[in-house]
Amino acid sequence: MTFDVVVVGGGSAGCVAAARLSSTGRLNVLLVEAGPDYGGLEDLPADVADSSAPTTDHDWGFVSEPDEAGRVTSLPRGRLMGGCSATNGAFLMRAWPQDFDRWVTAGNPGWSFDELLPWLRDLENDADDHDGWHGRCGPVPVRRTAYDELAPVHRAFVDSARAIGHPLVLDHNHPPRDRGRPVAAQRA
Ligand SMILES: Cc1cc2nc3c(=O)[nH]c(=O)nc-3n(C[C@H](O)[C@H](O)[C@H](O)COP(=O)(O)OP(=O)(O)OC[C@H]3O[C@@H](n4cnc5c(N)ncnc54)[C@H](O)[C@@H]3O)c2cc1C
């Protein structure tokens, strides 16, 4: 069997690249992944299914070089189809508009936030979008955890932050118009 393209690594980037390249049916694409492929959500082993616990059996086991005191830090990296996307916290954060705009300033036309926004929207299937800022038809389901869904410890954290004056941010991916500040502060 011959292939037009070989994608090495079925992680976040590799899966998207292989899916897009093969979607027209014109290219024969081989996706090579070092770890297992479990297919559906219901088949996931416990250490992958529970994102609040560290992944044990599906990790490369990398650690940092020791620092001056000899301490090492674990550097988790998923080893399975989906890569780190299969083991990560599943938080969806767009980069800040000013980060994209810096790419343009560095000589990369076409990478401004305004030019990329349609692509960011196309990724999302946002259940909470009310003003068209987000996408509703993309492959990535997005929802925000409601206050009453939070665990007591998380609720206490939110309450404490609000009590000392931090505003509640309902959508971290909705920048303010002036784009000069990092977060959209929408007061509840
Ligand atoms: C614990 C953790 C939590 C995170 N939480 C979030 C989050 O909530 N939100 C967010 O946006 N990002 C999060 N991230 C970051 C995000 O998951 C990564 O930036 C992203 O998945 C990296 O994608 P990638 O395609 O570059 O690499 P990976 O997804 O790591 O994919 C690399 C793939 O290549 C495979 N591979 C490596 N070498 C070979 C080889 N020689 N042959 C075959 N296959 C090989 C690996 O097994 C792996 O599947 C988190 C990351 C970690 C580790």
Side-chain angles (χ1 to χ4, degrees), residues 8-15 32-35 59-60 75-93:
V8 179
S12 317
C15 285
V32 182
E33 168 54 45
D59 188 84
W60 286 86
L75 301 169
R77 292 276 101 189
R79 183 178 182 154
L80 71 163
M81 192 60 85
C84 294
S85 298
T87 59
N88 73 15
F91 289 97
L92 190 149
M93 290 297 297

Side-chain angles (χ1 to χ4, degrees), residues 18-20 24 30 52 57 70 78 97 109 125 140-141 151 160 182 184:
R20 289 287 167 97
T24 62
L30 174 67
S52 65
D57 299 334
N125 181 2
V140 179
S160 308

Side-chain angles (χ1 to χ4, degrees), residues 124-149:
E124 301 169 339
N125 181 2
D126 193 313
D128 307 315
D129 180 53
H130 299 300
D131 62 1
W133 180 257
H134 292 289
R136 305 287 310 243
C137 303
V140 179
V142 183
R143 65 184 284 276
R144 286 148 197 81
T145 308
Y147 178 80
D148 44 3
E149 291 177 274

Side-chain angles (χ1 to χ4, degrees), residues 19-98:
R20 289 287 167 97
L21 286 166
S22 59
S23 64
T24 62
R26 288 199 297 271
L27 293 174
N28 232 356
V29 180
L30 174 67
L31 177 61
V32 182
E33 168 54 45
D37 178 6
Y38 291 105
L41 275 179
E42 61 286 351
D43 301 320
L44 290 179
D47 72 310
V48 179
D50 181 0
S51 67
S52 65
T55 307
T56 47
D57 299 334
H58 300 84
D59 188 84
W60 286 86
F62 296 137
V63 291
S64 68
E65 293 290 324
D67 67 11
E68 287 169 2
R71 290 171 299 210
V72 295
T73 305
S74 72
L75 301 169
R77 292 276 101 189
R79 183 178 182 154
L80 71 163
M81 192 60 85
C84 294
S85 298
T87 59
N88 73 15
F91 289 97
L92 190 149
M93 290 297 297
R94 295 174 175 174
W96 292 350
Q98 54 267 44

Side-chain angles (χ1 to χ4, degrees), residues 20 94-104 108-124 133-135 179:
R20 289 287 167 97
R94 295 174 175 174
W96 292 350
Q98 54 267 44
D99 287 344
F100 291 115
D101 295 342
R102 225 172 283 138
W103 291 354
V104 177
N108 302 289
W111 289 91
S112 70
F113 181 76
D114 288 341
E115 286 163 292
L116 290 184
L117 185 56
W119 301 96
L120 297 173
R121 296 178 81 249
D122 281 356
L123 286 174
E124 301 169 339
W133 180 257
H134 292 289
R179 298 203 184 145

